[in-house]
PDB file of all heavy atoms in Angstrom:
ATOM      1  N   SER A 428      22.229  53.172  23.526  1.00  0.00           N
ATOM      2  CA  SER A 428      22.758  54.522  23.595  1.00  0.00           C
ATOM      3  C   SER A 428      24.211  54.563  23.141  1.00  0.00           C
ATOM      4  O   SER A 428      24.837  53.536  22.918  1.00  0.00           O
ATOM      5  CB  SER A 428      22.617  55.066  25.013  1.00  0.00           C
ATOM      6  OG  SER A 428      23.312  54.239  25.935  1.00  0.00           O
ATOM      7  N   ARG A 429      24.740  55.767  23.043  1.00  0.00           N
ATOM      8  CA  ARG A 429      26.060  55.977  22.443  1.00  0.00           C
ATOM      9  C   ARG A 429      27.149  55.111  23.077  1.00  0.00           C
ATOM     10  O   ARG A 429      27.958  54.500  22.391  1.00  0.00           O
ATOM     11  CB  ARG A 429      26.456  57.435  22.581  1.00  0.00           C
ATOM     12  CG  ARG A 429      25.610  58.426  21.813  1.00  0.00           C
ATOM     13  CD  ARG A 429      26.114  59.829  22.089  1.00  0.00           C
ATOM     14  NE  ARG A 429      25.370  60.850  21.378  1.00  0.00           N
ATOM     15  CZ  ARG A 429      24.505  61.677  21.961  1.00  0.00           C
ATOM     16  NH1 ARG A 429      24.279  61.599  23.244  1.00  0.00           N
ATOM     17  NH2 ARG A 429      23.889  62.592  21.234  1.00  0.00           N
ATOM     18  N   LEU A 430      27.174  55.094  24.388  1.00  0.00           N
ATOM     19  CA  LEU A 430      28.239  54.366  25.075  1.00  0.00           C
ATOM     20  C   LEU A 430      27.782  53.000  25.573  1.00  0.00           C
ATOM     21  O   LEU A 430      28.532  52.317  26.263  1.00  0.00           O
ATOM     22  CB  LEU A 430      28.796  55.207  26.224  1.00  0.00           C
ATOM     23  CG  LEU A 430      29.406  56.550  25.805  1.00  0.00           C
ATOM     24  CD1 LEU A 430      29.966  57.282  27.018  1.00  0.00           C
ATOM     25  CD2 LEU A 430      30.482  56.365  24.752  1.00  0.00           C
ATOM     26  N   GLY A 431      26.556  52.659  25.246  1.00  0.00           N
ATOM     27  CA  GLY A 431      26.054  51.341  25.617  1.00  0.00           C
ATOM     28  C   GLY A 431      25.488  51.239  27.010  1.00  0.00           C
ATOM     29  O   GLY A 431      25.165  50.143  27.470  1.00  0.00           O
ATOM     30  N   SER A 432      25.338  52.372  27.694  1.00  0.00           N
ATOM     31  CA  SER A 432      24.872  52.321  29.080  1.00  0.00           C
ATOM     32  C   SER A 432      23.375  52.044  29.174  1.00  0.00           C
ATOM     33  O   SER A 432      22.887  51.581  30.205  1.00  0.00           O
ATOM     34  CB  SER A 432      25.199  53.632  29.789  1.00  0.00           C
ATOM     35  OG  SER A 432      24.650  54.727  29.078  1.00  0.00           O
ATOM     36  N   ASP A 433      22.651  52.337  28.095  1.00  0.00           N
ATOM     37  CA  ASP A 433      21.197  52.155  28.117  1.00  0.00           C
ATOM     38  C   ASP A 433      20.748  51.375  26.885  1.00  0.00           C
ATOM     39  O   ASP A 433      21.211  51.632  25.775  1.00  0.00           O
ATOM     40  CB  ASP A 433      20.486  53.508  28.131  1.00  0.00           C
ATOM     41  CG  ASP A 433      20.812  54.307  29.380  1.00  0.00           C
ATOM     42  OD1 ASP A 433      20.493  53.836  30.476  1.00  0.00           O
ATOM     43  OD2 ASP A 433      21.406  55.393  29.224  1.00  0.00           O
ATOM     44  N   THR A 434      19.853  50.446  27.113  1.00  0.00           N
ATOM     45  CA  THR A 434      19.249  49.691  26.012  1.00  0.00           C
ATOM     46  C   THR A 434      17.729  49.737  26.137  1.00  0.00           C
ATOM     47  O   THR A 434      17.192  49.894  27.244  1.00  0.00           O
ATOM     48  CB  THR A 434      19.727  48.225  26.000  1.00  0.00           C
ATOM     49  OG1 THR A 434      19.515  47.651  27.296  1.00  0.00           O
ATOM     50  CG2 THR A 434      21.194  48.128  25.637  1.00  0.00           C
ATOM     51  N   TYR A 435      17.085  49.593  25.024  1.00  0.00           N
ATOM     52  CA  TYR A 435      15.630  49.696  24.945  1.00  0.00           C
ATOM     53  C   TYR A 435      15.139  48.591  24.023  1.00  0.00           C
ATOM     54  O   TYR A 435      15.759  48.318  22.988  1.00  0.00           O
ATOM     55  CB  TYR A 435      15.224  51.062  24.377  1.00  0.00           C
ATOM     56  CG  TYR A 435      15.903  52.223  25.051  1.00  0.00           C
ATOM     57  CD1 TYR A 435      17.172  52.642  24.660  1.00  0.00           C
ATOM     58  CD2 TYR A 435      15.287  52.897  26.098  1.00  0.00           C
ATOM     59  CE1 TYR A 435      17.806  53.688  25.282  1.00  0.00           C
ATOM     60  CE2 TYR A 435      15.915  53.959  26.726  1.00  0.00           C
ATOM     61  CZ  TYR A 435      17.179  54.353  26.315  1.00  0.00           C
ATOM     62  OH  TYR A 435      17.802  55.392  26.937  1.00  0.00           O
ATOM     63  N   TYR A 436      14.024  47.991  24.371  1.00  0.00           N
ATOM     64  CA  TYR A 436      13.504  46.882  23.574  1.00  0.00           C
ATOM     65  C   TYR A 436      11.995  46.990  23.415  1.00  0.00           C
ATOM     66  O   TYR A 436      11.287  47.421  24.321  1.00  0.00           O
ATOM     67  CB  TYR A 436      13.822  45.540  24.241  1.00  0.00           C
ATOM     68  CG  TYR A 436      15.287  45.289  24.430  1.00  0.00           C
ATOM     69  CD1 TYR A 436      15.923  45.587  25.637  1.00  0.00           C
ATOM     70  CD2 TYR A 436      16.067  44.757  23.396  1.00  0.00           C
ATOM     71  CE1 TYR A 436      17.273  45.376  25.804  1.00  0.00           C
ATOM     72  CE2 TYR A 436      17.425  44.545  23.561  1.00  0.00           C
ATOM     73  CZ  TYR A 436      18.016  44.856  24.773  1.00  0.00           C
ATOM     74  OH  TYR A 436      19.357  44.642  24.937  1.00  0.00           O
ATOM     75  N   ASP A 437      11.539  46.548  22.258  1.00  0.00           N
ATOM     76  CA  ASP A 437      10.110  46.400  22.084  1.00  0.00           C
ATOM     77  C   ASP A 437       9.644  45.227  22.941  1.00  0.00           C
ATOM     78  O   ASP A 437      10.388  44.266  23.167  1.00  0.00           O
ATOM     79  CB  ASP A 437       9.793  46.144  20.616  1.00  0.00           C
ATOM     80  CG  ASP A 437       8.307  46.083  20.357  1.00  0.00           C
ATOM     81  OD1 ASP A 437       7.691  47.153  20.232  1.00  0.00           O
ATOM     82  OD2 ASP A 437       7.759  44.959  20.285  1.00  0.00           O
ATOM     83  N   ASP A 438       8.417  45.306  23.390  1.00  0.00           N
ATOM     84  CA  ASP A 438       7.884  44.249  24.251  1.00  0.00           C
ATOM     85  C   ASP A 438       7.919  42.880  23.576  1.00  0.00           C
ATOM     86  O   ASP A 438       8.035  41.850  24.248  1.00  0.00           O
ATOM     87  CB  ASP A 438       6.453  44.576  24.662  1.00  0.00           C
ATOM     88  CG  ASP A 438       6.383  45.683  25.703  1.00  0.00           C
ATOM     89  OD1 ASP A 438       7.427  45.998  26.306  1.00  0.00           O
ATOM     90  OD2 ASP A 438       5.289  46.249  25.885  1.00  0.00           O
ATOM     91  N   ALA A 439       7.823  42.862  22.252  1.00  0.00           N
ATOM     92  CA  ALA A 439       7.773  41.593  21.533  1.00  0.00           C
ATOM     93  C   ALA A 439       9.073  40.802  21.634  1.00  0.00           C
ATOM     94  O   ALA A 439       9.075  39.577  21.446  1.00  0.00           O
ATOM     95  CB  ALA A 439       7.435  41.840  20.071  1.00  0.00           C
ATOM     96  N   VAL A 440      10.176  41.496  21.930  1.00  0.00           N
ATOM     97  CA  VAL A 440      11.470  40.816  21.953  1.00  0.00           C
ATOM     98  C   VAL A 440      12.137  40.889  23.328  1.00  0.00           C
ATOM     99  O   VAL A 440      13.183  40.255  23.534  1.00  0.00           O
ATOM    100  CB  VAL A 440      12.425  41.393  20.887  1.00  0.00           C
ATOM    101  CG1 VAL A 440      11.771  41.369  19.513  1.00  0.00           C
ATOM    102  CG2 VAL A 440      12.874  42.806  21.239  1.00  0.00           C
ATOM    103  N   LYS A 441      11.566  41.639  24.224  1.00  0.00           N
ATOM    104  CA  LYS A 441      12.171  41.820  25.542  1.00  0.00           C
ATOM    105  C   LYS A 441      12.357  40.472  26.234  1.00  0.00           C
ATOM    106  O   LYS A 441      11.453  39.631  26.242  1.00  0.00           O
ATOM    107  CB  LYS A 441      11.289  42.745  26.382  1.00  0.00           C
ATOM    108  CG  LYS A 441      11.973  43.382  27.557  1.00  0.00           C
ATOM    109  CD  LYS A 441      11.057  44.417  28.202  1.00  0.00           C
ATOM    110  CE  LYS A 441      10.825  45.601  27.291  1.00  0.00           C
ATOM    111  NZ  LYS A 441       9.977  46.652  27.929  1.00  0.00           N
ATOM    112  N   GLY A 442      13.535  40.278  26.767  1.00  0.00           N
ATOM    113  CA  GLY A 442      13.839  39.017  27.443  1.00  0.00           C
ATOM    114  C   GLY A 442      14.409  37.957  26.517  1.00  0.00           C
ATOM    115  O   GLY A 442      14.953  36.949  26.981  1.00  0.00           O
ATOM    116  N   ARG A 443      14.289  38.168  25.208  1.00  0.00           N
ATOM    117  CA  ARG A 443      14.838  37.207  24.244  1.00  0.00           C
ATOM    118  C   ARG A 443      15.998  37.804  23.445  1.00  0.00           C
ATOM    119  O   ARG A 443      16.934  37.087  23.078  1.00  0.00           O
ATOM    120  CB  ARG A 443      13.744  36.755  23.261  1.00  0.00           C
ATOM    121  CG  ARG A 443      12.578  36.046  23.924  1.00  0.00           C
ATOM    122  CD  ARG A 443      11.624  35.467  22.885  1.00  0.00           C
ATOM    123  NE  ARG A 443      11.001  36.508  22.059  1.00  0.00           N
ATOM    124  CZ  ARG A 443      11.114  36.549  20.740  1.00  0.00           C
ATOM    125  NH1 ARG A 443      11.801  35.632  20.080  1.00  0.00           N
ATOM    126  NH2 ARG A 443      10.506  37.512  20.061  1.00  0.00           N
ATOM    127  N   PHE A 444      15.929  39.088  23.171  1.00  0.00           N
ATOM    128  CA  PHE A 444      16.954  39.766  22.374  1.00  0.00           C
ATOM    129  C   PHE A 444      17.800  40.660  23.270  1.00  0.00           C
ATOM    130  O   PHE A 444      17.287  41.251  24.235  1.00  0.00           O
ATOM    131  CB  PHE A 444      16.309  40.631  21.292  1.00  0.00           C
ATOM    132  CG  PHE A 444      15.632  39.877  20.172  1.00  0.00           C
ATOM    133  CD1 PHE A 444      15.387  38.513  20.241  1.00  0.00           C
ATOM    134  CD2 PHE A 444      15.241  40.554  19.032  1.00  0.00           C
ATOM    135  CE1 PHE A 444      14.757  37.831  19.214  1.00  0.00           C
ATOM    136  CE2 PHE A 444      14.612  39.898  17.984  1.00  0.00           C
ATOM    137  CZ  PHE A 444      14.367  38.538  18.087  1.00  0.00           C
ATOM    138  N   THR A 445      19.070  40.779  22.919  1.00  0.00           N
ATOM    139  CA  THR A 445      19.996  41.637  23.652  1.00  0.00           C
ATOM    140  C   THR A 445      20.831  42.431  22.665  1.00  0.00           C
ATOM    141  O   THR A 445      21.358  41.862  21.693  1.00  0.00           O
ATOM    142  CB  THR A 445      20.922  40.802  24.551  1.00  0.00           C
ATOM    143  OG1 THR A 445      20.140  40.002  25.443  1.00  0.00           O
ATOM    144  CG2 THR A 445      21.839  41.710  25.362  1.00  0.00           C
ATOM    145  N   ILE A 446      20.949  43.711  22.927  1.00  0.00           N
ATOM    146  CA  ILE A 446      21.785  44.578  22.097  1.00  0.00           C
ATOM    147  C   ILE A 446      22.999  44.999  22.913  1.00  0.00           C
ATOM    148  O   ILE A 446      22.866  45.384  24.078  1.00  0.00           O
ATOM    149  CB  ILE A 446      21.015  45.829  21.644  1.00  0.00           C
ATOM    150  CG1 ILE A 446      19.796  45.431  20.806  1.00  0.00           C
ATOM    151  CG2 ILE A 446      21.921  46.756  20.833  1.00  0.00           C
ATOM    152  CD1 ILE A 446      18.894  46.598  20.471  1.00  0.00           C
ATOM    153  N   PHE A 447      24.166  44.930  22.302  1.00  0.00           N
ATOM    154  CA  PHE A 447      25.369  45.424  22.931  1.00  0.00           C
ATOM    155  C   PHE A 447      26.293  45.957  21.846  1.00  0.00           C
ATOM    156  O   PHE A 447      26.102  45.684  20.661  1.00  0.00           O
ATOM    157  CB  PHE A 447      26.049  44.360  23.798  1.00  0.00           C
ATOM    158  CG  PHE A 447      26.403  43.087  23.093  1.00  0.00           C
ATOM    159  CD1 PHE A 447      27.707  42.841  22.685  1.00  0.00           C
ATOM    160  CD2 PHE A 447      25.446  42.105  22.835  1.00  0.00           C
ATOM    161  CE1 PHE A 447      28.051  41.662  22.042  1.00  0.00           C
ATOM    162  CE2 PHE A 447      25.786  40.925  22.193  1.00  0.00           C
ATOM    163  CZ  PHE A 447      27.087  40.703  21.796  1.00  0.00           C
ATOM    164  N   ARG A 448      27.268  46.738  22.280  1.00  0.00           N
ATOM    165  CA  ARG A 448      28.136  47.362  21.294  1.00  0.00           C
ATOM    166  C   ARG A 448      29.580  47.325  21.750  1.00  0.00           C
ATOM    167  O   ARG A 448      29.869  47.309  22.951  1.00  0.00           O
ATOM    168  CB  ARG A 448      27.693  48.803  21.010  1.00  0.00           C
ATOM    169  CG  ARG A 448      27.806  49.780  22.149  1.00  0.00           C
ATOM    170  CD  ARG A 448      27.077  51.091  21.833  1.00  0.00           C
ATOM    171  NE  ARG A 448      27.686  51.789  20.700  1.00  0.00           N
ATOM    172  CZ  ARG A 448      27.091  52.799  20.063  1.00  0.00           C
ATOM    173  NH1 ARG A 448      25.880  53.199  20.413  1.00  0.00           N
ATOM    174  NH2 ARG A 448      27.715  53.401  19.055  1.00  0.00           N
ATOM    175  N   ASP A 449      30.470  47.373  20.762  1.00  0.00           N
ATOM    176  CA  ASP A 449      31.901  47.472  20.991  1.00  0.00           C
ATOM    177  C   ASP A 449      32.373  48.663  20.179  1.00  0.00           C
ATOM    178  O   ASP A 449      32.613  48.549  18.963  1.00  0.00           O
ATOM    179  CB  ASP A 449      32.588  46.174  20.553  1.00  0.00           C
ATOM    180  CG  ASP A 449      34.074  46.176  20.848  1.00  0.00           C
ATOM    181  OD1 ASP A 449      34.637  47.251  21.058  1.00  0.00           O
ATOM    182  OD2 ASP A 449      34.677  45.089  20.858  1.00  0.00           O
ATOM    183  N   ASN A 450      32.498  49.801  20.820  1.00  0.00           N
ATOM    184  CA  ASN A 450      32.862  51.011  20.074  1.00  0.00           C
ATOM    185  C   ASN A 450      34.291  50.955  19.536  1.00  0.00           C
ATOM    186  O   ASN A 450      34.601  51.626  18.555  1.00  0.00           O
ATOM    187  CB  ASN A 450      32.664  52.246  20.947  1.00  0.00           C
ATOM    188  CG  ASN A 450      31.196  52.607  21.085  1.00  0.00           C
ATOM    189  OD1 ASN A 450      30.331  52.136  20.333  1.00  0.00           O
ATOM    190  ND2 ASN A 450      30.874  53.437  22.070  1.00  0.00           N
ATOM    191  N   ALA A 451      35.121  50.161  20.158  1.00  0.00           N
ATOM    192  CA  ALA A 451      36.491  50.018  19.644  1.00  0.00           C
ATOM    193  C   ALA A 451      36.483  49.320  18.278  1.00  0.00           C
ATOM    194  O   ALA A 451      37.389  49.522  17.466  1.00  0.00           O
ATOM    195  CB  ALA A 451      37.341  49.232  20.630  1.00  0.00           C
ATOM    196  N   LYS A 452      35.461  48.518  18.042  1.00  0.00           N
ATOM    197  CA  LYS A 452      35.332  47.818  16.772  1.00  0.00           C
ATOM    198  C   LYS A 452      34.275  48.447  15.867  1.00  0.00           C
ATOM    199  O   LYS A 452      33.960  47.893  14.809  1.00  0.00           O
ATOM    200  CB  LYS A 452      34.978  46.351  17.009  1.00  0.00           C
ATOM    201  CG  LYS A 452      36.057  45.576  17.729  1.00  0.00           C
ATOM    202  CD  LYS A 452      35.678  44.103  17.874  1.00  0.00           C
ATOM    203  CE  LYS A 452      36.792  43.320  18.542  1.00  0.00           C
ATOM    204  NZ  LYS A 452      36.435  41.885  18.707  1.00  0.00           N
ATOM    205  N   ASN A 453      33.693  49.565  16.319  1.00  0.00           N
ATOM    206  CA  ASN A 453      32.645  50.235  15.536  1.00  0.00           C
ATOM    207  C   ASN A 453      31.525  49.273  15.158  1.00  0.00           C
ATOM    208  O   ASN A 453      31.003  49.299  14.026  1.00  0.00           O
ATOM    209  CB  ASN A 453      33.224  50.863  14.267  1.00  0.00           C
ATOM    210  CG  ASN A 453      33.939  52.165  14.530  1.00  0.00           C
ATOM    211  OD1 ASN A 453      34.117  52.566  15.675  1.00  0.00           O
ATOM    212  ND2 ASN A 453      34.384  52.817  13.481  1.00  0.00           N
ATOM    213  N   THR A 454      31.128  48.451  16.113  1.00  0.00           N
ATOM    214  CA  THR A 454      30.145  47.405  15.824  1.00  0.00           C
ATOM    215  C   THR A 454      29.099  47.314  16.932  1.00  0.00           C
ATOM    216  O   THR A 454      29.432  47.431  18.113  1.00  0.00           O
ATOM    217  CB  THR A 454      30.831  46.045  15.649  1.00  0.00           C
ATOM    218  OG1 THR A 454      31.801  46.130  14.603  1.00  0.00           O
ATOM    219  CG2 THR A 454      29.812  44.957  15.294  1.00  0.00           C
ATOM    220  N   VAL A 455      27.865  47.131  16.506  1.00  0.00           N
ATOM    221  CA  VAL A 455      26.763  46.851  17.427  1.00  0.00           C
ATOM    222  C   VAL A 455      26.221  45.468  17.088  1.00  0.00           C
ATOM    223  O   VAL A 455      26.166  45.082  15.927  1.00  0.00           O
ATOM    224  CB  VAL A 455      25.645  47.907  17.302  1.00  0.00           C
ATOM    225  CG1 VAL A 455      24.401  47.471  18.046  1.00  0.00           C
ATOM    226  CG2 VAL A 455      26.127  49.253  17.811  1.00  0.00           C
ATOM    227  N   TYR A 456      25.796  44.761  18.110  1.00  0.00           N
ATOM    228  CA  TYR A 456      25.327  43.391  17.946  1.00  0.00           C
ATOM    229  C   TYR A 456      23.881  43.260  18.414  1.00  0.00           C
ATOM    230  O   TYR A 456      23.453  43.946  19.355  1.00  0.00           O
ATOM    231  CB  TYR A 456      26.193  42.438  18.761  1.00  0.00           C
ATOM    232  CG  TYR A 456      27.657  42.513  18.419  1.00  0.00           C
ATOM    233  CD1 TYR A 456      28.499  43.362  19.136  1.00  0.00           C
ATOM    234  CD2 TYR A 456      28.198  41.749  17.397  1.00  0.00           C
ATOM    235  CE1 TYR A 456      29.844  43.450  18.826  1.00  0.00           C
ATOM    236  CE2 TYR A 456      29.545  41.831  17.082  1.00  0.00           C
ATOM    237  CZ  TYR A 456      30.360  42.683  17.796  1.00  0.00           C
ATOM    238  OH  TYR A 456      31.697  42.765  17.484  1.00  0.00           O
ATOM    239  N   LEU A 457      23.177  42.377  17.764  1.00  0.00           N
ATOM    240  CA  LEU A 457      21.831  42.013  18.193  1.00  0.00           C
ATOM    241  C   LEU A 457      21.816  40.501  18.393  1.00  0.00           C
ATOM    242  O   LEU A 457      21.845  39.737  17.419  1.00  0.00           O
ATOM    243  CB  LEU A 457      20.791  42.413  17.148  1.00  0.00           C
ATOM    244  CG  LEU A 457      19.342  41.998  17.439  1.00  0.00           C
ATOM    245  CD1 LEU A 457      18.825  42.692  18.693  1.00  0.00           C
ATOM    246  CD2 LEU A 457      18.431  42.304  16.253  1.00  0.00           C
ATOM    247  N   GLN A 458      21.843  40.101  19.645  1.00  0.00           N
ATOM    248  CA  GLN A 458      21.783  38.683  19.990  1.00  0.00           C
ATOM    249  C   GLN A 458      20.322  38.281  20.106  1.00  0.00           C
ATOM    250  O   GLN A 458      19.588  38.834  20.929  1.00  0.00           O
ATOM    251  CB  GLN A 458      22.514  38.420  21.301  1.00  0.00           C
ATOM    252  CG  GLN A 458      22.446  36.976  21.775  1.00  0.00           C
ATOM    253  CD  GLN A 458      23.189  36.026  20.857  1.00  0.00           C
ATOM    254  OE1 GLN A 458      24.291  36.326  20.410  1.00  0.00           O
ATOM    255  NE2 GLN A 458      22.593  34.873  20.564  1.00  0.00           N
ATOM    256  N   MET A 459      19.927  37.321  19.310  1.00  0.00           N
ATOM    257  CA  MET A 459      18.530  36.896  19.275  1.00  0.00           C
ATOM    258  C   MET A 459      18.436  35.445  19.723  1.00  0.00           C
ATOM    259  O   MET A 459      18.969  34.551  19.057  1.00  0.00           O
ATOM    260  CB  MET A 459      17.968  37.053  17.858  1.00  0.00           C
ATOM    261  CG  MET A 459      18.080  38.462  17.314  1.00  0.00           C
ATOM    262  SD  MET A 459      17.336  38.662  15.686  1.00  0.00           S
ATOM    263  CE  MET A 459      18.471  37.700  14.700  1.00  0.00           C
ATOM    264  N   ASN A 460      17.781  35.230  20.835  1.00  0.00           N
ATOM    265  CA  ASN A 460      17.568  33.894  21.377  1.00  0.00           C
ATOM    266  C   ASN A 460      16.082  33.561  21.374  1.00  0.00           C
ATOM    267  O   ASN A 460      15.242  34.467  21.325  1.00  0.00           O
ATOM    268  CB  ASN A 460      18.111  33.809  22.804  1.00  0.00           C
ATOM    269  CG  ASN A 460      19.590  34.063  22.890  1.00  0.00           C
ATOM    270  OD1 ASN A 460      20.352  33.779  21.952  1.00  0.00           O
ATOM    271  ND2 ASN A 460      20.032  34.613  24.010  1.00  0.00           N
ATOM    272  N   GLY A 461      15.777  32.294  21.430  1.00  0.00           N
ATOM    273  CA  GLY A 461      14.372  31.899  21.475  1.00  0.00           C
ATOM    274  C   GLY A 461      13.582  32.406  20.297  1.00  0.00           C
ATOM    275  O   GLY A 461      12.439  32.856  20.443  1.00  0.00           O
ATOM    276  N   LEU A 462      14.161  32.304  19.108  1.00  0.00           N
ATOM    277  CA  LEU A 462      13.512  32.868  17.927  1.00  0.00           C
ATOM    278  C   LEU A 462      12.197  32.175  17.623  1.00  0.00           C
ATOM    279  O   LEU A 462      12.070  30.954  17.792  1.00  0.00           O
ATOM    280  CB  LEU A 462      14.459  32.796  16.727  1.00  0.00           C
ATOM    281  CG  LEU A 462      15.530  33.884  16.733  1.00  0.00           C
ATOM    282  CD1 LEU A 462      16.700  33.500  15.846  1.00  0.00           C
ATOM    283  CD2 LEU A 462      14.939  35.208  16.318  1.00  0.00           C
ATOM    284  N   LYS A 463      11.265  32.959  17.177  1.00  0.00           N
ATOM    285  CA  LYS A 463       9.927  32.489  16.826  1.00  0.00           C
ATOM    286  C   LYS A 463       9.686  32.749  15.338  1.00  0.00           C
ATOM    287  O   LYS A 463      10.298  33.657  14.759  1.00  0.00           O
ATOM    288  CB  LYS A 463       8.879  33.238  17.650  1.00  0.00           C
ATOM    289  CG  LYS A 463       9.074  33.162  19.153  1.00  0.00           C
ATOM    290  CD  LYS A 463       8.050  34.036  19.868  1.00  0.00           C
ATOM    291  CE  LYS A 463       8.242  33.993  21.376  1.00  0.00           C
ATOM    292  NZ  LYS A 463       7.250  34.851  22.076  1.00  0.00           N
ATOM    293  N   PRO A 464       8.783  32.022  14.736  1.00  0.00           N
ATOM    294  CA  PRO A 464       8.482  32.282  13.317  1.00  0.00           C
ATOM    295  C   PRO A 464       8.094  33.735  13.057  1.00  0.00           C
ATOM    296  O   PRO A 464       8.427  34.279  11.997  1.00  0.00           O
ATOM    297  CB  PRO A 464       7.326  31.321  13.035  1.00  0.00           C
ATOM    298  CG  PRO A 464       7.556  30.180  13.974  1.00  0.00           C
ATOM    299  CD  PRO A 464       8.097  30.823  15.231  1.00  0.00           C
ATOM    300  N   GLU A 465       7.436  34.364  14.005  1.00  0.00           N
ATOM    301  CA  GLU A 465       7.033  35.767  13.821  1.00  0.00           C
ATOM    302  C   GLU A 465       8.193  36.746  13.892  1.00  0.00           C
ATOM    303  O   GLU A 465       8.020  37.927  13.627  1.00  0.00           O
ATOM    304  CB  GLU A 465       5.945  36.165  14.819  1.00  0.00           C
ATOM    305  CG  GLU A 465       6.290  35.888  16.263  1.00  0.00           C
ATOM    306  CD  GLU A 465       5.719  34.567  16.766  1.00  0.00           C
ATOM    307  OE1 GLU A 465       5.776  33.556  16.024  1.00  0.00           O
ATOM    308  OE2 GLU A 465       5.231  34.545  17.921  1.00  0.00           O
ATOM    309  N   ASP A 466       9.378  36.273  14.251  1.00  0.00           N
ATOM    310  CA  ASP A 466      10.573  37.128  14.234  1.00  0.00           C
ATOM    311  C   ASP A 466      11.184  37.215  12.842  1.00  0.00           C
ATOM    312  O   ASP A 466      12.091  38.023  12.616  1.00  0.00           O
ATOM    313  CB  ASP A 466      11.634  36.596  15.197  1.00  0.00           C
ATOM    314  CG  ASP A 466      11.212  36.689  16.654  1.00  0.00           C
ATOM    315  OD1 ASP A 466      10.619  37.703  17.037  1.00  0.00           O
ATOM    316  OD2 ASP A 466      11.493  35.723  17.405  1.00  0.00           O
ATOM    317  N   ALA A 467      10.726  36.386  11.924  1.00  0.00           N
ATOM    318  CA  ALA A 467      11.286  36.384  10.581  1.00  0.00           C
ATOM    319  C   ALA A 467      11.035  37.719   9.896  1.00  0.00           C
ATOM    320  O   ALA A 467       9.901  38.222   9.881  1.00  0.00           O
ATOM    321  CB  ALA A 467      10.671  35.260   9.756  1.00  0.00           C
TER     322      ALA A 467
END
């Protein structure tokens, strides 16, 4: 969400991927852990 208070994930990535944002830097990040070949 706009201020980062809410995040939503597809079931396929839930628990492995994390989204966060830094509005001061105008940047959103997608941290991907436990990557699988099907994530390619």
Side-chain angles (χ1 to χ4, degrees):
S428 59
R429 294 178 179 107
L430 300 182
S432 56
D433 297 298
T434 53
Y435 311 84
Y436 300 95
D437 184 81
D438 286 345
V440 306
K441 199 172 293 182
R443 298 187 297 122
F444 290 12
T445 303
I446 299 173
F447 57 101
R448 65 192 296 166
D449 184 342
N450 284 345
K452 296 183 177 179
N453 282 6
T454 302
V455 169
Y456 303 93
L457 176 64
Q458 177 67 43
M459 303 183 291
N460 299 330
L462 282 160
K463 304 175 181 180
E465 53 263 42
D466 293 319

